[in-house]
């Protein structure tokens, strides 16, 4: 650290956050599973794998078009488990930190959303903890959720291979843009809604048709598609080339991105996955994704090539090629 205080950029999902984790939180750590900094940790469990993940949620506003902090807290951890191949979720733990004065009606609404999202994901909250802070000591509510899942095969976010196709399971940027629009009272017309959803069913459908052909997965949350792919490419030592015209972005998200002056590729998604798939199996995987309600807009958006730099992600725009860079200097806090 060049400075001795935490900055907002340390929570942005980009290089500053990874530096904070490596330089402070993992200082002295030697365990390979921890140092992999994947979406969760996989530990051997009989002849299978137990996958463990946790996620803290501080989104503001707590209710936004398409979801709320309760749906987000379940989807966030379920998706991290699913990204590692663990689509059977054994159960979740939910820790609730409340501010004195928080509305019990709001809490009931959030809890009912937590339960509904658990049902959707085929899991339950098995345990948890509740703390109340004095007024002003926390902003309303913080939800910290952990989960465990089981899988036969662990998928790593570092598994990309040259020749792979890059698939995204639907439109990008919806969650972050919906939250920012609600926070800033933009009053945008159209149906800009967060995509927040548990993806274990969708991922299960893809793995069922081509398990060995799915070489890597990651959900593009903070830092967006660009942030996720830069991290994946760096870890794998490959270059990713995207075709701009094939990246699905809804009209509503594109309009909001223009008003806010933000690239949709840098904005958080909470119901999308990126998959690196063996080129000869990508059509089979796309067919499986398209047949699922959460994947009907899935698209092949690029390819993996041999490394020509240090984990570069390049965007072919039709007019030329430019390198995509992570957002770090101007973070979007409290998006998830
Ligand atoms: Mg993740």
């Amino acid at each position: 650290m060049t400075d001795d205080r935490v900055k907002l950029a340390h929570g942005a999902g980009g290089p500053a956050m990874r530096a904070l984790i490596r330089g402070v939180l993992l200082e002295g750590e030697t365990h390979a599973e921890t140092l992999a900094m994947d979406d969760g940790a996989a530990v051997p469990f009989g002849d299978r794998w137990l996958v463990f993940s946790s996620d803290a949620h501080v989104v503001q506003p707590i209710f936004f078009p398409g979801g709320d902090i309760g749906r987000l807290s379940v989807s966030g951890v379920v998706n991290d488990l699913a990204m590692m191949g663990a689509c059977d979720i054994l159960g979740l733990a939910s820790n609730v930190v409340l501010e004195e004065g928080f509305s019990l009606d709001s809490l009931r609404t959030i809890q009912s959303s937590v339960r509904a999202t658990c049902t959707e994901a085929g899991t339950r909250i098995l345990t948890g903890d509740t703390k109340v802070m004095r007024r002003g000591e926390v902003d309303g509510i913080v939800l910290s959720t952990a989960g465990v899942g089981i899988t036969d095969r662990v998928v790593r976010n570092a598994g990309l291979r040259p020749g792979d196709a890059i698939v995204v399971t639907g439109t990008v940027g919806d969650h972050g843009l919906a939250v920012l629009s609600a926070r800033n009272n933009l009053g945008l017309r159209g149906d800009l809604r967060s995509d927040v959803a548990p993806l274990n069913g969708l991922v299960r459908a893809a793995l069922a048709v081509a398990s060995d052909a799915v070489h890597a997965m990651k959900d593009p949350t903070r830092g967006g598609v660009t942030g996720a792919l830069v991290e994946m490419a760096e870890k794998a030592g490959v270059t990713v080339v995207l075709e701009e015209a094939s990246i699905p972005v809804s009209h509503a998200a594109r309009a909001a991105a223009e008003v806010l002056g933000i690239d949709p590729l840098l904005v958080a998604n909470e119901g999308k996955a990126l998959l690196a798939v063996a080129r000869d199996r990508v059509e089979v995987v796309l067919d499986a994704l398209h047949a699922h309600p959460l994947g009907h807009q899935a698209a092949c958006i690029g390819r993996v090539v041999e490394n020509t730099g240090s984990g570069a992600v390049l965007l072919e725009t039709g007019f030329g090629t430019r390198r995509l860079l992570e957002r770090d200097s101007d973070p979007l806090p409290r998006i998830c």
Side-chain angles (χ1 to χ4, degrees):
M1 300 290 113
T2 50
D3 206 336
D4 62 351
R5 300 283 169 180
V6 171
K7 299 186 178 79
L8 281 174
H10 288 133
M17 190 180 85
R18 292 197 292 275
L20 177 79
I21 294 170
R22 290 206 184 94
V24 180
L25 302 178
L26 296 186
E27 198 183 10
E29 177 63 55
T30 55
H31 196 276
E33 184 62 42
T34 311
L35 291 173
M37 286 172 58
D38 218 315
D39 286 326
V43 290
F45 186 68
D47 56 355
R48 306 184 79 192
W49 294 89
L50 189 81
V51 181
F52 178 59
S53 189
S54 69
D55 216 331
H57 293 94
V58 297
V59 67
Q60 196 272 320
I62 55 176
F63 299 101
F64 47 83
D68 57 45
I69 192 171
R71 182 167 177 78
L72 187 62
S73 74
V74 173
S75 301
V77 71
V78 165
N79 293 348
D80 279 344
L81 296 171
M83 292 309 112
M84 298 192 73
C87 299
D88 298 329
I89 316 294
L90 297 182
L92 308 180
S94 174
N95 301 314
V96 185
V97 182
L98 295 161
E99 181 187 16
E100 175 191 10
F102 191 74
S103 152
L104 284 180
D105 266 353
S106 296
L107 186 58
R108 283 190 193 97
T109 305
I110 291 165
Q111 250 341 87
S112 101
S113 174
V114 163
R115 278 191 293 271
T117 313
C118 280
T119 302
E120 210 176 313
T123 190
R124 313 174 59 175
I125 303 287
L126 297 178
T127 185
D129 183 45
T130 311
K131 296 283 193 302
V132 178
M133 309 272 283
R134 283 176 297 199
R135 209 177 284 267
E137 291 180 343
V138 62
D139 185 9
I141 181 169
V142 173
L143 289 181
S144 174
T145 311
V148 284
I150 290 275
T151 187
D152 292 323
R153 174 176 164 260
V154 175
V155 182
R156 299 284 177 183
N157 62 26
L160 305 88
R161 301 178 199 170
D164 283 352
I166 298 293
V167 168
V168 68
T169 59
T171 56
V172 307
D174 304 279
H175 173 75
L177 290 164
V179 170
L180 286 173
S181 299
R183 188 188 301 169
N184 294 303
N185 273 317
L186 289 191
L188 292 170
R189 293 183 185 207
D191 43 11
L192 179 60
R193 292 166 65 80
S194 167
D195 59 350
V196 58
L199 294 174
N200 55 326
L202 178 70
V203 171
R204 186 188 287 120
L207 295 180
V209 295
S211 175
D212 291 348
V214 177
H215 296 153
M217 288 192 282
K218 188 167 178 61
D219 52 343
T221 54
R222 273 174 304 173
V225 166
T226 296
L229 287 175
V230 167
E231 190 178 333
M232 294 170 88
E234 275 179 6
K235 284 181 175 176
V238 297
T239 293
V240 169
V241 182
L242 300 180
E243 293 153 34
E244 188 170 38
S246 57
I247 302 172
V249 183
S250 72
H251 290 299
R254 203 177 288 283
E258 266 173 35
V259 170
L260 292 160
I262 298 170
D263 178 356
L265 291 177
L266 287 168
V267 177
N269 308 271
E270 292 291 343
K272 299 290 154 39
L274 292 162
L275 285 70
V277 184
R279 182 66 239 180
D280 60 341
R281 305 298 299 284
V282 69
E283 294 305 327
V284 175
V285 170
L286 281 172
D287 286 347
L289 293 171
H290 290 155
H292 191 281
L294 294 175
H296 65 272
Q297 287 180 284
C300 177
I301 60 169
R303 61 195 184 276
V304 180
V305 299
E306 296 282 356
N307 202 8
T308 51
S310 53
V313 177
L314 307 176
L315 184 72
E316 290 178 343
T317 63
F319 301 101
T321 301
R322 67 182 170 93
R323 184 169 181 170
L324 295 180
L325 299 173
E326 291 178 278
R327 185 186 185 101
D328 216 20
S329 55
D330 185 17
L332 305 169
R334 301 190 62 180
I335 217 74
C336 57

